[in-house]
Amino acid sequence: MAGQQLDFLAGSLPNRSNPTEQTEQWRQQALNELEIVDSGAESAFDGLVQAASAICGTPIALISLIDHDRQWFKANVGLEGVKETPRCISFCTHAIKQSELFVVEDAQIDPEFSGNPLVTGDPHIRFYAGAPLRLSSGATVGTLCVIGLQPMRLDEDQRKVLCNLSKTAVHLLEGRRAERMEAKYRQEAEQISADMPIGLFATDAAGGCYYTNERWQDLYGLSLEESLGNGWTETIHPEDRSAVFAEWIQAAKEQRQFQKTFRLLRHDGSVIHVQSQAKAQRDDAGTTTHFLGFVQDVTTEVALNAEILFQANHDHLTGLFNRRAFEICLSQCVTQLREAEGPDHALLYIDLDQFKIVNDTVGHAAGDRLLVEVAGLLKPFQSHQASLARLGGDEFALLLPNCNVTRAEETAQLIIETFEVFRFQARNQQFRVGVSIGVVPLQEQNLRPNAVMQAADTSCFIAKERGRNRWHTWVEGNVDTMRRNQAMRWVTRLQSAMDEERLVLHAQKIVPLDPAANTSLRAELLLRLREVDGSLVMPGAFLPPAERFQLVTRLDQWVLEKTITMLGELNSLDRISHIALNVSGQSVVDASFLRTVDQLLSQASPEISRRLCFEITETSVITSVTSAVTFISMVRNHGATVAIDDFGAGSASFSTLKSLQMTHLKIDGQFVTGVIDDPLDNVVVRSFVDAAAVIGLTTVAEFVESASVLERLREIGLDYAQGYFLHSPEPFEAVLAEATGNGALS
């Protein structure tokens, strides 16, 4: 009977089975996972139905799998040419709902099946016995059934055999699925292995390859045939080969994982860096049977790490070692001295002379180019073992291993001579750049790197103090060295005071000599340093070291910022007329300080700016008239006034005063104190006052210590005076509070 005929008969019989939806979905999923429906014939399944037919004595035997809307026959005896029938008329649909063998001894008299088309028509079924195919998961996917065309009954043995055959069919189904899944996984694994971005390999216990994937072959530059056996070892870079073999042997001996980064020299001459890992596989006795591992290309990572390491240890501008790397080299050198007696070493600390002039004159870009050229001039003095570094700014260092003091001093002199003939060109200008060098012999075994660097800095500074463009050798206990160290200790104290906000502003009033003059506050600010114990240190102790070590500009900036802040906190400035701030010569010529002052005055209100007076010493003006003119012009544009301080102490002429936009002239105290007893001082003060009147400057006398001096100054015609006779300096806050009425501070 053809399948089409059975399909036609299916339309007249409703589906009496009504499995729950959830159970049906689970069952259907289990069937789908077997991946067997619509597969070809298989002898193992065919043998089962043949055995069932023979044992039960039925003309028809089937392995029937229940799909969505059909029953499909995996194995078939007696219904040749028929592959499936509609599920709605199948006996097996009822059998899969049973836990045991399902039997219909005479379908014609069974009310459930008497009207079934398969009973009333072809093949005229009278007998049916179906054993459920229940998988290990519990899902029933079909039956192994026998069908008779006459009523019949199975004996107990036949029933048992039929049930056992169904269990065998289940084993075949699940075994088939396991084999297919294994084959599928194997295929997927092989595909994954082929597509992996890392190379996979397997070797025997001796290290001979018996498996490599395509990526491994690509990395090593070998074909599959070339990759097998020990041929791969020849691809390891000759310089790395012994280290790789040694690590492989050691890892196997210690029963640990092999891991190594090395280079491959491929047949085409290219070199790549790879990282390889392998793990030994052992049998139950602990004997190594083979190795499984992988290899990956890390060329980019190695190059990147090398670049990161280079950047971490080298100055980005000159390419020389940076301070960090140099200090490591110095530490290693000092350690060698401690551990064993050996030859002496030496350190040269090199500082450029007048580098700031280049920066301020032609700009920082030109300054950077100068540093690069300086590095080029120093490199010839760097032997294979020597370490040359840029420590920062315009400071360089050269560590000379196996070098005694004499040779180090000779090297320092050669460097100085090299720079004597060097000229730096920028913006059509030519600059002569010298160097000052501190020479530090490294001979003692108890040296500390920090102490060596401090000694080098001290020696270099002494060389600068002695006229620049020379070298100075460190000698423990040298008077100059002790003086320098004492000053450096002051710098440390000063830096700590700034960091810990222990700077204090005091103020000394400037008094008008005309009784009818405005009485609003006029004062000069004076800086103090408060020690940790609360005591105050006068500026005479810390300002010289601050100037020597270029910290005074930071102090000047702090005073200006603090003054602007305090004036800005006042409710009213009506009782404030003139607040004088001292500006050092270093600050006047510092372009960055000028920019900072310009910015601070721009941010401050005009009411504050016009009450500020910047006092510049006569010596500062003489040292750099151009810088002084620039600074004075800038602050005057903001409405501030400018005083030339300590006038008469230097050699400035009255013509110099005429060329500057000064507003006040403060006469040096040495002339003021002798104005009564010394006729020359009296004449000098009078001449200063007369000249100032002609130019239009307001005059101020310093160091007024007595009533008689004050009266003489009033007779001469000075405008203002200050000194301890008139007012002892006190905290600026108190002076402001008094001037504004005690409590006007917000």
Side-chain angles (χ1 to χ4, degrees), residues 180-252:
R180 291 177 63 84
M181 290 301 295
E182 182 180 357
K184 179 180 179 181
Y185 292 153
R186 187 183 304 112
Q187 182 180 9
E188 290 177 349
E190 291 175 354
Q191 186 61 47
I192 291 172
S193 174
D195 296 340
M196 283 283 279
I198 60 176
L200 303 177
F201 66 93
T203 75
D204 56 29
C209 275
Y210 62 82
Y211 168 78
T212 61
N213 68 347
E214 291 182 10
R215 179 55 177 163
W216 189 99
Q217 297 156 24
D218 180 58
L219 289 174
Y220 277 76
L222 300 174
S223 65
L224 174 59
E225 293 74 16
E226 292 171 331
S227 72
L228 302 180
N230 294 314
W232 63 275
T233 61
E234 297 301 319
T235 312
I236 301 175
H237 196 287
E239 295 177 4
D240 298 345
R241 195 171 297 157
S242 60
V244 173
F245 291 164
E247 174 62 18
W248 183 280
I249 294 171
Q250 192 65 22

Side-chain angles (χ1 to χ4, degrees), residues 401-629:
N402 308 323
C403 180
N404 58 30
V405 177
T406 302
R407 283 181 52 205
E409 292 175 342
E410 291 173 351
T411 302
Q413 183 60 36
L414 288 174
I415 292 174
I416 289 172
E417 292 173 0
T418 298
F419 278 85
E420 283 180 346
V421 298
F422 169 66
R423 297 295 181 270
F424 178 65
Q425 306 281 343
R427 294 187 183 178
N428 298 320
Q429 298 185 60
Q430 191 176 79
F431 298 88
R432 180 174 180 172
V433 180
V435 291
S436 297
I437 304 176
V439 181
V440 181
L442 306 181
Q443 300 168 322
E444 303 176 15
Q445 293 187 340
N446 60 347
L447 292 174
R448 292 179 293 106
N450 289 344
V452 172
M453 293 301 291
Q454 184 175 350
D457 182 48
T458 299
S459 295
C460 183
F461 186 83
I462 293 172
K464 281 185 177 291
E465 283 191 325
R466 290 182 173 180
R468 303 177 183 270
N469 209 36
R470 65 190 63 219
W471 51 266
H472 176 82
T473 301
W474 166 267
V475 178
E476 189 70 39
N478 180 273
V479 174
D480 290 332
T481 300
M482 294 173 66
R483 178 170 54 84
R484 161 71 170 173
N485 287 342
Q486 198 171 37
M488 288 185 67
R489 285 193 290 273
W490 251 118
V491 168
T492 301
R493 291 170 63 185
L494 186 57
Q495 288 176 326
S496 297
M498 287 188 284
D499 293 341
E500 297 167 10
E501 299 183 356
R502 289 189 283 107
L503 295 178
V504 179
L505 280 182
H506 278 211
Q508 185 178 52
K509 294 178 182 178
I510 301 173
V511 179
L513 299 186
D514 182 357
N518 188 336
T519 59
S520 58
L521 176 65
R522 301 177 71 91
E524 177 183 354
L525 296 181
L526 304 170
L527 189 60
R528 304 286 189 263
L529 186 153
R530 188 182 302 281
E531 293 283 31
V532 177
D533 62 5
S535 61
L536 291 180
V537 180
M538 296 298 103
F542 61 80
L543 281 183
E547 290 181 344
R548 179 178 298 177
F549 293 97
Q550 289 77 47
L551 289 176
V552 70
T553 297
R554 285 183 59 188
L555 295 177
D556 289 344
Q557 180 177 331
W558 181 88
V559 170
L560 177 57
E561 291 175 343
K562 184 69 173 178
T563 303
I564 291 174
T565 299
M566 293 178 69
L567 293 179
E569 292 173 347
L570 295 176
N571 292 328
S572 172
L573 295 173
D574 291 345
R575 297 296 300 162
I576 309 298
S577 175
H578 176 100
I579 303 298
L581 307 85
N582 292 283
V583 180
S584 72
Q586 290 182 14
S587 298
V588 170
V589 299
D590 190 319
S592 62
F593 178 75
L594 188 144
R595 289 192 294 271
T596 299
V597 173
D598 188 22
Q599 182 179 11
L600 290 172
L601 294 179
S602 297
Q603 295 171 350
S605 69
E607 289 297 306
I608 291 178
S609 294
R610 70 180 180 85
R611 286 170 168 79
L612 299 179
C613 178
F614 293 88
E615 294 190 359
I616 306 173
T617 64
E618 179 186 4
T619 305
S620 300
V621 173
I622 297 170
T623 302
S624 180
V625 175
T626 302
S627 297
V629 168

Side-chain angles (χ1 to χ4, degrees), residues 73-363:
F73 306 140
K74 173 59 182 174
N76 180 339
V77 170
L79 289 179
E80 288 72 13
V82 179
K83 291 292 185 181
E84 61 185 55
T85 65
R87 176 175 176 176
C88 58
I89 63 172
S90 69
F91 282 66
C92 293
T93 296
H94 298 269
I96 63 174
K97 294 186 291 183
Q98 311 302 318
S99 58
E100 303 294 339
L101 183 67
F102 178 68
V103 179
V104 179
E105 294 181 346
D106 188 349
Q108 284 187 355
I109 63 174
D110 188 312
E112 184 73 30
F113 298 101
S114 59
N116 190 302
L118 299 177
V119 176
T120 59
D122 287 338
H124 298 286
I125 296 174
R126 296 292 296 276
F127 172 80
Y128 172 88
L133 302 178
R134 184 168 291 106
L135 304 180
S136 57
S137 65
T140 303
V141 295
T143 67
L144 191 159
C145 63
V146 291
I147 296 174
L149 303 182
Q150 298 295 329
M152 61 180 292
R153 178 177 296 176
L154 297 179
D155 60 29
E156 192 62 29
D157 290 337
Q158 289 174 320
R159 295 170 71 95
K160 287 181 179 179
V161 169
L162 188 59
C163 289
N164 287 334
L165 289 176
S166 72
K167 293 176 182 178
T168 301
V170 168
H171 291 320
L172 288 176
L173 287 172
E174 292 187 329
R176 179 184 183 280
R177 178 178 181 273
E179 290 177 359
R180 291 177 63 84
M181 290 301 295
E182 182 180 357
K184 179 180 179 181
Y185 292 153
R186 187 183 304 112
Q187 182 180 9
E188 290 177 349
E190 291 175 354
Q191 186 61 47
I192 291 172
S193 174
D195 296 340
M196 283 283 279
I198 60 176
L200 303 177
F201 66 93
T203 75
D204 56 29
C209 275
Y210 62 82
Y211 168 78
T212 61
N213 68 347
E214 291 182 10
R215 179 55 177 163
W216 189 99
Q217 297 156 24
D218 180 58
L219 289 174
Y220 277 76
L222 300 174
S223 65
L224 174 59
E225 293 74 16
E226 292 171 331
S227 72
L228 302 180
N230 294 314
W232 63 275
T233 61
E234 297 301 319
T235 312
I236 301 175
H237 196 287
E239 295 177 4
D240 298 345
R241 195 171 297 157
S242 60
V244 173
F245 291 164
E247 174 62 18
W248 183 280
I249 294 171
Q250 192 65 22
K253 180 179 179 181
E254 297 176 1
Q255 295 189 351
R256 59 174 171 81
Q257 180 173 276
F258 165 82
Q259 182 171 335
K260 187 74 174 174
T261 298
F262 52 91
R263 290 169 294 171
L264 297 178
L265 177 58
R266 302 188 290 190
H267 292 331
D268 61 4
S270 60
V271 176
I272 65 170
H273 291 260
V274 297
Q275 183 184 65
S276 181
Q277 293 186 30
K279 187 173 183 180
Q281 308 298 306
R282 296 178 175 83
D283 58 20
D284 294 339
T287 303
T288 298
T289 57
H290 60 289
F291 290 87
L292 300 178
F294 69 88
V295 63
Q296 56 185 335
D297 186 350
V298 293
T299 304
T300 301
E301 290 84 347
V302 169
L304 180 60
N305 289 338
E307 178 64 21
I308 292 173
L309 183 62
F310 183 88
Q311 295 293 339
N313 290 294
H314 290 77
D315 172 53
H316 74 280
L317 181 63
T318 63
L320 303 179
F321 274 152
N322 56 21
R323 178 179 285 272
R324 171 184 174 276
F326 184 80
E327 289 178 348
I328 292 174
C329 294
L330 178 60
S331 296
Q332 293 171 346
C333 192
V334 169
T335 301
Q336 291 173 0
L337 285 172
R338 292 174 184 162
E339 293 177 347
E341 292 186 4
D344 297 339
H345 309 304
L347 170 64
L348 303 187
Y349 191 97
I350 305 162
D351 188 82
L352 299 186
D353 296 331
Q354 307 302 335
F355 175 71
K356 185 172 177 57
I357 293 178
V358 176
N359 256 351
D360 292 344
T361 304
V362 290

